[in-house]
Amino acid sequence: MPICLITGANRGIGLELARAYARAGTTVIATARRPADATALAALAAEHPSLTVLPLDVADAASIAALAAAIQGRPVDLLIANAGVIGPRGGIDDPANTAALWAEVMAVNVTGVYLTVRAVLPGLRAAKAAKVAILSSRMASSKVASGSSYLYRASKAAAANIGANLAVEMKPAGIAVGIYHPGWVKTDMGGAGADIAPAASAAGLVQRFTHLSLATTGVFEDYAGASIAF
Ligand SMILES: NC(=O)c1ccc[n+]([C@@H]2O[C@H](COP(=O)([O-])OP(=O)(O)OC[C@H]3O[C@@H](n4cnc5c(N)ncnc54)[C@H](OP(=O)(O)O)[C@@H]3O)[C@@H](O)[C@H]2O)c1
């Protein structure tokens, strides 16, 4: 039975990915910063006993170490680095773009991705043909730069860069790595005016993750399979 580990699975796209994999019969390790508050995830776990909820704050090294200890010895076939924050959306003069917020957004969207992958690496190595999916964004692409949301764009570009390097480094170990834009999705982050529902994004992403292989490792694409330039 394949095992899928998802970060930030208590709401939004992460929750819908957890639902899709649980319904498909995959063993899911769904992480949340505060499992006690993750009521939708608890309901999903009650419906699907193959889904386990574990605590994980990707900006907290001790929390990452605790996750690594909790899953020690278990193979992980698919790691989905989904947890993310958007930060202030303004331009260069936006007073909200403080050094403290830069550090916070980078800690979650960049360092959080790196440290989570590293912590789960023993599990990925123990699985056959393991995969890592990094949720970046089309906004990471320098080809669609429009001047705004500096913290988010820069952090998601860095996350995509981590994915590209990881793909090269992990290929000899048989681990494929993909970088994804989930679409503009109606979540707390995407807002009510976004293009698609979280379930539609998750359905597309699941297909893309299935398609990911060592032949396509390093891919940067959206939930429908359209290629994105770094
Ligand atoms: N929605 C879009 O249109 C869109 C577009 C492009 C890319 N994306 C990317 O897709 C991913 C999911 O986005 P979404 O729309 O589902 O966002 P969302 O609704 O805002 O949910 C974000 C998730 O990340 C978690 N999270 C935030 N900080 C965390 C931390 N320090 N440690 C662990 N988990 C943390 C949140 O947990 P809490 O509930 O505890 O805060 C929540 O589960 C993100 O990486 C995002 O950048 C989204």
Side-chain angles (χ1 to χ4, degrees):
M1 191 65 71
I3 299 183
C4 167
L5 192 154
I6 307 168
T7 68
N10 54 301
R11 60 187 168 99
I13 297 163
L15 176 63
E16 290 311 315
L17 285 167
R19 196 186 312 281
Y21 280 108
R23 281 185 178 158
T26 301
T27 300
V28 179
I29 301 169
T31 73
R33 273 200 281 197
R34 288 175 296 275
D37 299 340
T39 46
L41 205 47
L44 196 58
E47 230 181 287
H48 301 280
S50 63
L51 187 149
T52 313
V53 183
L54 288 179
L56 176 64
D57 182 337
V58 301
D60 177 353
S63 174
I64 292 177
L67 175 82
I71 63 167
Q72 198 178 11
R74 296 181 74 180
V76 175
D77 299 276
L78 173 62
L79 166 63
I80 306 174
N82 164 79
V85 288
I86 185 136
R89 300 174 196 242
I92 188 74
D93 288 328
D94 186 346
N97 293 341
T98 60
L101 271 181
W102 267 102
E104 198 178 307
V105 172
M106 287 293 178
V108 178
N109 292 358
V110 185
T111 318
V113 170
Y114 175 84
L115 292 179
T116 302
V117 172
R118 196 168 68 174
V120 178
L121 213 44
L124 294 165
R125 287 194 165 118
K128 253 192 182 165
K131 303 181 187 186
V132 177
I134 295 176
L135 271 283
S136 176
S137 169
R138 188 172 175 273
M139 287 170 75
S141 175
S142 298
K143 301 285 182 235
V144 295
S146 61
S148 65
S149 302
Y150 282 87
L151 291 63
Y152 187 70
R153 290 177 190 276
S155 66
K156 288 296 180 178
N161 183 273
I162 288 172
N165 281 284
L166 199 59
V168 173
E169 194 175 340
M170 290 295 111
K171 196 169 185 178
I175 300 170
V177 182
I179 304 142
Y180 299 94
H181 170 60
W184 184 23
V185 191
K186 294 181 206 290
T187 62
D188 292 340
M189 187 184 291
D195 286 337
I196 56 169
S201 172
L205 288 170
V206 167
Q207 278 192 27
R208 299 326 303 161
F209 302 163
T210 302
H211 193 256
L212 176 65
S213 71
L214 289 179
T216 63
T217 193
V219 70
F220 186 10
E221 62 186 15
D222 75 6
Y223 76 110
S227 182
I228 297 172
F230 285 86

